[in-house]
């Protein structure tokens, strides 16, 4: 009996130890190692200097130095801002590799690679980073920093094979600048006679990535990402004022070359960050760089999962995540998606939340499987279109004079307040904004001195707050309340009739402005984070109205026809529509539709 207990314990240790290793490996962040040196095609850029006080004539050529040491310092600082947090980040300073308070020195000769074309620079970097001394420093810093970098801690020492697999999630990057043409203009102000600078220079930023292969001890080329325009454009005043040459000047005289260079480098840091962020946005969509976090617990009744990742991966309230499970072949298989209800706040010392709480919305949870989550691209903005039918009336002197069957159509924008504010109490709240117009058919009710009434145009806006509650899976109901503004323009034929005399007709244009309070409900189906279908019922009551008639070609006495007391009755509408995430068209639409179909 005792022997069987020992065997069972060994088997359990093997089973759960293996699962822990899988979780540690899948959840571990990618580490990026910054090479520290930035390559440039030229050691300077030369552009024409235009005097635009009259005809924009070229008066000089300005040389702007692209010093690798200065650019490398800017690059390292901005790499920390853009990459650190989402990924682990090791940077180079002089002859040291640094991760937080851990340093590793290497003794390779100083790297010099200024003024080389990209092909030759890339070959030079490849040879340098694969020298034995540099490789030794890379391995040492990765191993020394590994206990601090583990997303999931282990009470037992990591096996050598697991360490090697974790080290394989390491990449080295370097940046390179291709130069393009540009120009500098000195624009003279008509306001005070002075000058301002307009610098317009395009530099193309590239990022080369090398993947660390620990078993071979090499950094192998992984990919090159480029196309991000590092645009250096500076004007200190509004462009509209520049078009008129009417602005407050920066300089009393035409600026000197030194002032051009100073303005260039002032703008460089901001433009560099924008360009690098654009490249990082591209690489985070690659499977190798997506963050996977194991699900630690699942409560089936509430369809709630608990996981390890949190705000240090830029996870926000209401952020959508995709779910995968690990099949027998060790591959991740998609099975659904959800939204973050309470993110773990790693840097909030007062927070009691230790795990991220996620609501499973689409898909069925696969029990007895190792489940992971990965972050979805999300902005918090949804665009859409809706159409439907409505019914309401027009009143004159508080008496109904026309019944209207309407066919509204609207363009919609939904703002996810929970995500945009990153505040848990707003998890289920959205702000909906829409612009609408409608066609309709009008039936007159009674005489009331109106002979004809027809719609010329109608448009308006709708702003409301929506509280959303998911019933089961991707089906949700919402309560909505807000304000509606409506502006209608109608062709009207009216008449006066005194006693038994024949009626006298006049024509004109009727204008009605109305502001209304709205309440209603919505039933929706979220097919994926990027696609929703919904039906909406709403009823609105006027709170303020104004009207007037502009008389037409036939003018008659209107003493019997009070023209300034038109308005609307309560308006009832039923609409159907769809909402799309604004990044939808940057992705493969068929892939998104396939996701929705699989979830259904």
């Amino acid at each position: 009996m005792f022997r069987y207990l020992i065997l069972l314990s060994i088997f359990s240790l093997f089973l759960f130890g293996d699962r822990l290793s899988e979780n540690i490996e899948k959840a571990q962040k990618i580490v990026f190692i910054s090479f520290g040196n930035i390559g440039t095609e030229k050691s300077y850029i030369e552009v024409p200097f235009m005097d635009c006080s009259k005809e924009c004539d070229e008066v000089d050529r300005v040389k702007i130095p692209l010093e690798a040491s200065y650019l490398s310092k800017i690059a390292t600082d901005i790499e920390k801002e853009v990459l650190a947090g989402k990924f682990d980040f090791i940077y180079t300073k002089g002859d040291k590799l640094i991760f937080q308070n851990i340093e590793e020195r290497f003794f390779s000769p100083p790297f010099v690679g200024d003024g080389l074309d990209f092909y030759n620079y890339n070959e030079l970097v490849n040879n340098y980073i694969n020298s034995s001394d540099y490789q030794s420093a890379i391995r040492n810093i990765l191993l020394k920093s590994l206990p601090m970098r583990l997303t999931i801690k282990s009470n037992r020492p990591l096996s050598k094979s697991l360490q090697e697999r974790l080290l394989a999630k390491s990449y080295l990057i370097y940046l390179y600048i291709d130069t393009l043409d540009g120009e500098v203009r000195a624009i003279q102000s008509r306001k005070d006679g002075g000058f301002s600078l307009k610098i317009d220079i395009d530099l193309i930023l590239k990022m080369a990535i090398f993947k660390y292969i620990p078993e071979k001890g090499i950094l192998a080329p992984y990919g090159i990402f480029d196309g991000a325009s590092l645009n250096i454009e500076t004007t200190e005043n509004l462009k509209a004022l520049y078009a008129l040459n009417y602005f407050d000047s920066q300089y009393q005289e035409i600026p000197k070359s030194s002032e051009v260079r100073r303005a260039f480098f002032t703008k460089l840091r901001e433009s560099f960050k924008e360009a690098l962020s654009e490249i990082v946005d591209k690489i985070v969509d690659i499977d190798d760089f997506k963050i996977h976090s194991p699900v630690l617990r699942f409560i089936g009744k509430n369809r709630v999962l608990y996981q390890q990742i949190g705000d240090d991966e830029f996870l926000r309230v209401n952020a959508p995540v995709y779910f995968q499970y690990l099949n027998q072949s060790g591959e991740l298989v998609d099975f659904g998606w959800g939204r973050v209800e309470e993110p773990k706040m790693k840097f909030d010392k007062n927070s009691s939340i230790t795990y991220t709480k996620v609501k499973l919305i689409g898909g069925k949870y696969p029990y007895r499987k190792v489940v992971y989550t990965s972050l979805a691209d999300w902005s918090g903005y949804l665009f859409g279109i809706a159409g439907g039918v409505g019914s309401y009336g027009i009143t004159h002197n508080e008496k109904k004079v026309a019944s209207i069957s309407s066919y509204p159509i609207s363009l919609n924008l939904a703002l996810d307040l929970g995500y945009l504010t990153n505040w848990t109490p707003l998890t289920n709240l959205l702000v909906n904004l829409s612009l609408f117009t409608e066609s309709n058919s009008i039936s007159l009710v009674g005489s009331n001195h109106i002979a004809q009434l027809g719609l010329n145009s109608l448009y308006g806006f709708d702003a409301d707050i929506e509280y959303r509650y998911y019933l089961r899976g991707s089906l949700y109901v919402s309560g909505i309340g807000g304000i509606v503004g409506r502006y209608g323009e109608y062709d009207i034929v009216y008449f006066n009739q005194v006693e038994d005399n024949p009626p006298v007709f006049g024509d004109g244009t009727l204008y009605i402005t109305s502001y209304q309070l709205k309440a209603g409900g919505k039933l929706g189906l979220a097919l994926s984070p990027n696609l929703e279908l919904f039906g909406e019922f709403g009823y609105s009551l006027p709170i303020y109205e104004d009207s007037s008639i502009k008389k037409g070609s036939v003018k008659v006495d209107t003493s019997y026809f009070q023209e300034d007391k038109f308005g609307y009755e309560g308006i009832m509408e039923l609409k159907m529509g769809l909402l799309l995430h604004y990044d939808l068209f940057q992705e493969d639409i068929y892939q998104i539709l396939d996701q929705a179909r699989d979830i259904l």
Side-chain angles (χ1 to χ4, degrees):
M1 181 68 177
F2 184 68
R3 181 185 304 172
Y4 290 118
L5 288 175
I6 292 176
L7 290 175
L8 181 61
S9 299
I10 293 173
F11 176 75
S12 299
L13 185 63
F14 173 79
L15 177 64
F16 292 106
D18 188 56
R19 176 167 292 188
L20 176 62
S21 296
E22 289 178 346
N23 286 345
I24 290 174
E25 181 182 356
K26 289 292 182 184
Q28 186 57 33
K29 285 185 182 180
I30 300 298
V31 56
F32 278 112
I33 305 163
S34 171
F35 180 57
N37 289 77
I38 188 168
T40 57
E41 183 184 19
K42 300 176 182 177
S43 57
Y44 65 89
I45 182 170
E46 185 175 342
V47 294
F49 190 2
M50 316 292 288
D51 177 3
C52 294
S53 54
K54 293 182 179 179
E55 298 293 334
C56 275
D57 297 321
E58 181 177 338
V59 295
D60 196 2
R61 294 190 69 82
V62 180
K63 279 189 176 182
I64 299 175
L66 298 176
E67 298 175 1
S69 58
Y70 178 73
L71 293 176
S72 297
K73 184 180 184 306
I74 291 179
T76 300
D77 291 343
I78 294 174
E79 284 171 344
K80 289 180 186 177
E81 292 181 39
V82 175
L83 293 170
K86 183 172 290 188
F87 306 100
D88 286 331
F89 184 70
I90 296 173
Y91 65 96
T92 302
K93 185 176 182 180
D95 59 353
K96 296 178 183 177
L97 294 169
I98 302 173
F99 178 80
Q100 296 182 11
N101 60 345
I102 300 175
E103 297 182 358
E104 185 67 27
R105 188 183 296 272
F106 56 91
F107 299 98
S108 299
F111 183 85
V112 180
D114 296 356
L116 293 176
D117 62 49
F118 180 73
Y119 175 81
N120 288 314
Y121 184 84
N122 188 65
E123 186 175 4
L124 187 64
V125 172
N126 195 358
N127 293 333
Y128 186 87
I129 62 178
N130 282 299
S131 64
S132 58
D133 175 57
Y134 196 85
Q135 281 293 319
S136 177
I138 289 284
R139 185 174 181 85
N140 288 341
I141 190 77
L142 289 174
L143 286 173
K144 288 180 181 179
S145 64
L146 184 57
M148 298 175 62
R149 294 189 291 107
L150 284 177
T151 304
I152 298 178
K153 307 299 182 183
S154 174
N155 295 325
R156 301 192 306 273
L158 302 180
S159 67
K160 186 175 180 180
S161 62
L162 178 57
Q163 286 186 21
E164 295 296 301
R165 296 199 301 273
L166 294 178
L167 295 190
K169 302 183 78 169
S170 306
Y171 298 83
L172 181 138
I173 61 172
Y174 76 79
L175 301 175
Y176 183 88
I177 292 179
D178 270 336
T179 57
L180 295 178
D181 292 333
E183 67 175 16
V184 178
R185 294 188 178 195
I187 304 173
Q188 188 172 26
S189 172
R190 292 169 50 200
K191 181 178 181 181
D192 57 22
F195 291 84
S196 284
L197 277 175
K198 186 176 189 298
I199 302 175
D200 193 356
I201 299 173
D202 276 335
L203 306 175
I204 301 300
L205 187 67
K206 295 184 177 182
M207 175 189 283
I209 301 180
F210 292 79
K211 180 176 174 59
Y212 184 55
I213 313 294
E215 61 270 21
K216 295 183 179 180
I218 63 170
L219 284 158
Y222 179 87
I224 298 167
F225 300 86
D226 60 10
S229 177
L230 202 164
N231 181 255
I232 309 297
E233 181 178 350
T234 174
T235 52
E236 300 299 326
N237 305 85
L238 295 175
K239 291 185 178 181
L241 296 181
Y242 268 91
L244 300 172
N245 283 15
Y246 192 83
F247 50 81
D248 294 323
S249 301
Q250 298 170 272
Y251 310 96
Q252 294 302 312
E253 300 176 349
I254 293 181
K256 299 177 182 178
S257 297
S258 59
E259 291 168 319
V260 173
R261 287 190 285 270
R262 188 180 302 114
F264 173 86
F265 285 112
T266 299
K267 182 68 175 177
L268 178 63
R269 177 179 289 271
E270 177 185 338
S271 299
F272 204 111
K273 184 176 181 179
E274 291 174 359
L276 183 58
S277 298
E278 185 179 330
I279 293 177
V280 172
D281 286 343
K282 293 178 182 178
I283 67 174
V284 294
D285 288 333
I286 300 173
D287 287 341
D288 286 341
F289 302 122
K290 287 183 177 178
I291 300 171
H292 297 282
S293 175
V295 171
L296 306 177
R297 185 158 57 103
F298 176 66
I299 302 177
K301 180 180 179 181
N302 300 323
R303 292 174 66 84
V304 170
L305 306 95
Y306 291 87
Q307 61 184 78
Q308 191 76 34
I309 58 176
D311 68 341
D312 49 334
E313 288 84 16
F314 304 130
L315 198 63
R316 299 169 66 88
V317 173
N318 259 19
V321 295
Y322 291 113
F323 298 115
Q324 302 95 19
Y325 67 85
L326 203 64
N327 65 12
Q328 294 180 347
S329 302
E331 298 172 337
L332 288 173
V333 179
D334 294 332
F335 74 85
W337 67 281
R339 289 195 183 279
V340 173
E341 290 191 341
E342 295 177 1
K344 177 189 68 173
M345 299 298 182
K346 178 178 179 181
F347 301 113
D348 185 355
K349 296 180 180 179
N350 299 319
S351 175
S352 60
I353 301 173
T354 56
Y355 299 104
T356 290
K357 180 181 176 183
V358 182
K359 179 83 169 181
L360 176 62
I361 295 176
K364 184 178 180 181
Y365 191 84
Y367 289 94
R368 294 183 294 277
K369 298 283 188 182
V370 180
V371 174
Y372 298 93
T373 61
S374 62
L375 308 185
D377 291 329
W378 188 247
S379 65
Y381 299 93
L382 291 163
F383 292 91
I385 188 170
V389 295
S391 177
Y392 59 97
I394 291 180
T395 62
H396 181 222
N397 292 327
E398 299 182 354
K399 179 181 178 182
K400 186 174 181 179
V401 295
S403 294
I404 296 179
S405 297
S406 62
Y407 308 96
I409 185 169
S410 63
L411 296 176
N412 306 328
L413 169 64
L415 310 177
D416 186 336
L417 285 186
Y419 182 86
L420 295 174
T421 62
N422 201 25
W423 192 32
T424 303
L426 301 183
T427 299
N428 298 311
L429 287 179
L430 294 90
V431 170
N432 297 309
L433 306 173
S434 65
L435 299 175
F436 65 85
T437 185
E438 72 174 45
S439 60
N440 61 36
S441 60
I442 301 175
S443 300
L444 294 177
V445 179
S447 59
N448 208 50
H449 300 278
I450 299 175
Q452 294 180 20
L453 189 64
L455 178 66
N456 193 341
S457 65
L458 187 145
Y459 51 89
F461 71 88
D462 186 344
D464 61 58
I465 297 287
E466 173 185 348
Y467 180 83
R468 180 175 294 187
Y469 178 77
Y470 283 93
L471 295 172
R472 185 70 178 174
S474 55
L475 186 67
Y476 66 84
V477 293
S478 300
I480 54 178
I483 189 168
V484 179
R486 182 181 295 264
Y487 181 80
E489 184 178 314
Y490 303 86
D491 294 324
I492 186 171
V493 176
Y494 56 91
F495 65 91
N496 279 334
Q497 186 172 18
V498 181
E499 296 179 352
D500 295 330
N501 295 324
V504 179
F505 291 90
D507 66 349
T509 304
L510 169 64
Y511 302 96
I512 302 177
T513 300
S514 178
Y515 295 97
Q516 303 146 7
L517 287 179
K518 172 188 173 182
K522 182 184 289 188
L523 178 66
L525 186 65
L527 298 178
S528 78
N530 294 318
L531 179 61
E532 295 182 11
L533 303 177
F534 67 88
E536 178 184 324
F537 170 80
Y539 187 80
S540 55
L541 281 173
I543 55 174
Y544 171 81
E545 291 183 317
D546 185 34
S547 66
S548 63
I549 290 181
K550 180 180 179 181
K551 295 180 180 179
S553 57
V554 181
K555 301 178 177 63
V556 299
D557 175 43
T558 57
S559 57
Y560 288 87
F561 181 71
Q562 297 176 356
E563 59 189 62
D564 59 347
K565 293 186 178 181
F566 282 88
Y568 294 114
E569 279 190 330
I571 299 173
M572 182 171 58
E573 289 183 336
L574 180 64
K575 296 187 291 187
M576 297 187 68
L578 60 85
L579 289 171
L580 304 173
H581 184 232
Y582 89 109
D583 277 340
L584 176 68
F585 300 107
Q586 298 178 15
E587 304 180 34
D588 185 346
I589 188 169
Y590 297 106
Q591 180 181 353
I592 292 173
L593 293 176
D594 285 344
Q595 290 175 356
R597 183 192 62 214
D598 293 342
I599 291 171
L600 289 174

